[in-house]
Amino acid sequence: MDRPGRLLLLSELCVRNVAYDVSLSRSLLTWKRLASSPVYRPFRPMLYVERCRQHHWCCAEVTFTCPDGVLCQNWVSSIREQLASISARPRNLLVYINPYGGKRQGKRIYEQKVAPLFAKAEISTHVIVTDYANHARDHLKTDADLSKVDGVVCVGGDGMFSEIIHGLVWRTQIDNGVDPNCPDEDLSPCSLRIGIIPAGSTDCICFATIGTNDPVTSALHIIVGDSQPMDVCSVHHHNMFLRYSVSLLGYGFYGDMLTDSERKRWMGLARYDISGLKMFLTHHYYEGTVSYLPARGIIGTPRDAGRCRYGCAVCQHNGQIQSERAEKYKTNEDSECADDGEWRTIRGKFLAINAASMSCACPRSPKGLSPAAHLADGTTDLILVRKCSRFNFLRHLLRHTNKDDQFDLAFVEVHRVVRFRFTPRYCQSDSDLELDLLENGKRQIFSQICRDHPACGCTRTNSSWNCDGEILTHTAIDVRVHCRLIKLFARGIEEPQVFADLSNPCVI
């Protein structure tokens, strides 16, 4: 028999609903022995996971006694055998903590809520508290020994997650001999899963993958060993790599809002509200050309009533199609053939151009920018908001917070695409610029001079791209979706019925 206090871990974990008996077959997360007795052997409570309120998981406990020492030892041996045979659950994790993100609570959240759970699950961790911006990215690119870990965990917000993505994806491409600067290259998928302990301002990634930004729930998904594939967009300017994106690429309204909010960081989280109001009142529009490659042979549209959930059939079907198509073109020397479709072009004046690779739901926008977007179907939803009145644009923005269809407006269009390119009007050819000058004369020249001074009434020439909360250095970009490039310690959002039906125990 093990000494008192020894932790024994089960191979699989059962999620039980509140106030009902625990299923003994696969229900235990940990087992701790309390004392010895010649007659019976009580144990400290065995910890397991149960669903509490919507999308939240929590630890619960139950105590068992065993009158037979031989039977007790058999239980212990059986549990150890199961643990040894399960590869999905992580044993060693590399943890990065951003102490400055959100409300600066990342370190406290990890130490008080997450580290004790990892210790009970006998997960070894190597913890690095980041000292500067992109510390985690740079460490993953060059210094981290990834052969000794089963996953990478970030404690912070969406910005910290973006750092991990850039470091891990870049490292994977270099190790596999892939040129990240070539927009036509098929990127190699990352083998390590990524865990997110939310401690940021919006935590969009957590809301899209598990339905909540609760740190304990995220930690339990990591302990269980859940796996959720996710698409990643690569963003290039000509043949130069700029960034990866997993949630939102926004030009116009969202790009201007981010640019303005960066000057107001001293205001804290209130800067987003102030900058959003300012950009709405300013009401800038931008001219340019959008070319996109529609997704072919897929199921689902951006205006579907269904949502991406645990076991999503759309992700499974479309992801399989995209994977087969990519495999088909691996041996094709003509990279242009890999586009496998006809490009379509739209020119106009836009208040906003957004590409949502997931719903982008958060507390401020419960439905998100594109409610029917999917995590792992190999596509992104391209949303074009044409020039309109302030009143109509306000109608569009308000529909992000209610149940109305935000795409059911004459000045809004949405397309599900696998690739798109954007060229601002004033980055087009010299012949186009000369034609514009002939048409508009001195008014156009004056607009170029005073574009940084909106008070004069002239329209700003270009906006900036908001790429997952970071400003891109170029406006002319080429965006390509890479299907299931990364995997998270998550499972997708579970249906509300799972949490509402308390009489039906559910096994993970």
Side-chain angles (χ1 to χ4, degrees):
M1 296 296 291
D2 287 350
R3 68 180 184 274
R6 176 82 176 181
L7 276 172
L8 305 175
L9 306 182
L10 280 185
S11 60
E12 295 187 26
L13 172 140
C14 173
V15 175
R16 181 181 75 82
N17 296 301
V18 179
Y20 289 88
D21 292 337
V22 181
S23 171
L24 297 182
S25 59
R26 303 163 76 180
S27 64
L28 306 182
L29 173 62
T30 59
W31 173 314
K32 185 180 279 190
R33 181 178 157 189
L34 191 145
S36 299
S37 171
V39 179
Y40 64 91
R41 305 177 187 278
F43 289 81
R44 282 188 180 178
M46 290 177 284
L47 303 180
Y48 61 94
V49 174
E50 67 178 6
R51 295 185 178 94
C52 38
R53 62 187 188 277
Q54 189 173 13
H55 304 311
H56 283 65
W57 288 5
C58 59
C59 275
E61 58 186 43
V62 65
T63 303
F64 294 91
T65 59
C66 180
D68 189 339
V70 175
L71 178 59
C72 179
Q73 184 61 49
N74 290 339
W75 283 9
V76 172
S77 300
S78 178
I79 291 171
R80 291 191 178 280
E81 290 174 3
Q82 291 185 55
L83 277 175
S85 65
I86 297 299
S87 59
R89 295 180 60 164
R91 271 74 172 178
N92 300 280
L93 294 173
L94 177 59
V95 181
Y96 294 95
I97 301 177
N98 178 6
Y100 306 108
K103 297 180 180 179
R104 300 175 178 262
Q105 297 295 309
K107 189 174 181 181
R108 182 191 64 82
I109 288 174
Y110 178 78
E111 292 175 349
Q112 295 184 8
K113 297 184 177 182
V114 178
L117 291 175
F118 285 170
K120 292 175 182 178
E122 292 187 346
I123 295 177
S124 300
T125 58
H126 176 54
V127 179
I128 297 176
V129 180
T130 58
D131 297 323
Y132 53 87
N134 293 319
H135 183 179
R137 181 201 66 183
D138 297 342
H139 184 261
L140 279 170
K141 277 186 175 182
T142 56
D143 299 330
D145 186 358
L146 301 181
S147 63
K148 297 181 179 180
V149 297
D150 304 311
V152 180
V153 175
C154 63
V155 184
D158 295 332
M160 186 62 176
F161 175 71
S162 181
E163 281 194 40
I164 301 299
I165 292 294
H166 282 80
L168 192 58
V169 172
W170 183 276
R171 173 78 170 267
T172 302
Q173 307 321 307
I174 298 303
D175 290 347
N176 287 276
V178 178
D179 181 8
N181 287 309
C182 179
D184 294 317
E185 283 272 19
D186 292 323
L187 301 184
S188 299
C190 300
S191 58
L192 293 178
R193 285 169 291 174
I194 303 171
I196 311 172
I197 304 299
S201 303
T202 56
D203 301 314
C204 283
I205 309 299
C206 283
F207 274 101
T209 54
I210 62 176
T212 180
N213 63 345
D214 174 50
V216 171
T217 301
S218 295
L220 293 175
H221 278 281
I222 295 171
I223 292 172
V224 172
D226 275 339
S227 182
Q228 169 64 51
M230 180 181 288
D231 301 332
V232 176
C233 293
S234 61
V235 185
H236 290 79
H237 174 70
H238 301 312
N239 286 320
M240 178 176 65
F241 169 76
L242 297 180
R243 288 189 71 85
Y244 295 115
S245 171
V246 295
S247 56
L248 171 68
L249 271 165
Y251 183 85
F253 178 76
Y254 289 103
D256 292 347
M257 184 174 70
L258 178 64
T259 302
D260 187 75
S261 69
E262 287 298 298
R263 306 187 190 106
K264 299 179 174 64
R265 296 190 70 89
W266 57 272
M267 299 178 66
L269 298 181
R271 68 185 185 271
Y272 297 114
D273 295 327
I274 300 299
S275 295
L277 176 61
K278 178 181 176 181
M279 292 304 105
F280 171 76
L281 295 176
T282 304
H283 202 60
H284 285 306
Y285 66 86
Y286 302 94
E287 299 182 63
T289 301
V290 179
S291 301
Y292 65 92
L293 192 63
R296 300 191 316 110
I298 64 170
I299 60 175
T301 70
R303 299 184 66 175
D304 287 342
R307 302 291 182 258
C308 187
R309 294 292 185 262
Y310 170 57
C312 178
V314 173
C315 287
Q316 293 176 3
H317 179 271
N318 295 351
Q320 182 65 27
I321 289 177
Q322 301 293 356
S323 298
E324 291 175 355
R325 192 168 292 164
E327 188 67 27
K328 175 182 176 182
Y329 290 109
K330 272 186 179 179
T331 57
N332 197 319
E333 295 181 357
D334 185 3
S335 61
E336 290 298 322
C337 290
D339 288 341
D340 193 29
E342 181 179 351
W343 284 82
R344 300 178 184 177
T345 301
I346 299 174
R347 296 180 178 87
K349 302 175 181 178
F350 305 98
L351 287 172
I353 300 173
N354 302 318
S357 299
M358 59 177 62
S359 66
C360 300
C362 66
R364 294 171 179 265
S365 178
K367 292 194 307 178
L369 294 182
S370 185
H374 289 269
L375 295 172
D377 67 341
T379 70
T380 187
D381 288 347
L382 181 62
I383 307 166
L384 307 178
V385 183
R386 294 182 180 272
K387 179 185 176 184
C388 62
S389 66
R390 285 186 179 85
F391 174 74
N392 279 333
F393 189 50
L394 179 61
R395 290 172 58 204
H396 171 66
L397 294 177
L398 289 178
R399 291 190 178 192
H400 292 99
T401 64
N402 57 39
K403 296 183 179 180
D404 294 333
D405 183 1
Q406 58 254 52
F407 305 135
D408 189 22
L409 296 166
F411 55 90
V412 179
E413 55 185 289
V414 59
H415 308 276
R416 186 152 285 178
V417 306
V418 295
R419 190 169 183 175
F420 75 92
R421 295 167 181 151
F422 174 73
T423 305
R425 184 182 184 187
Y426 300 108
C427 288
Q428 294 174 352
S429 65
D430 293 339
S431 60
D432 286 339
L433 285 175
E434 291 173 1
L435 179 61
D436 291 336
L437 291 174
L438 289 174
E439 290 178 349
N440 298 302
K442 295 181 179 180
R443 180 175 179 273
Q444 178 60 46
I445 297 175
F446 184 68
S447 177
Q448 290 278 357
I449 295 173
C450 59
R451 61 182 177 270
D452 293 327
H453 302 278
C456 70
C458 296
T459 302
R460 292 173 58 184
T461 305
N462 290 328
S463 176
S464 301
W465 280 99
N466 176 347
C467 180
D468 293 358
E470 298 293 332
I471 300 172
L472 296 186
T473 54
H474 296 273
T475 53
I477 61 173
D478 183 350
V479 180
R480 181 183 176 188
V481 184
H482 298 272
C483 186
R484 303 181 174 222
L485 190 66
I486 61 174
K487 293 181 180 179
L488 304 187
F489 284 108
R491 60 169 48 196
I493 300 175
E494 293 181 303
E495 292 290 351
Q497 292 84 352
V498 175
F499 292 84
D501 183 8
L502 300 181
S503 63
N504 183 21
C506 175
V507 176
I508 289 182

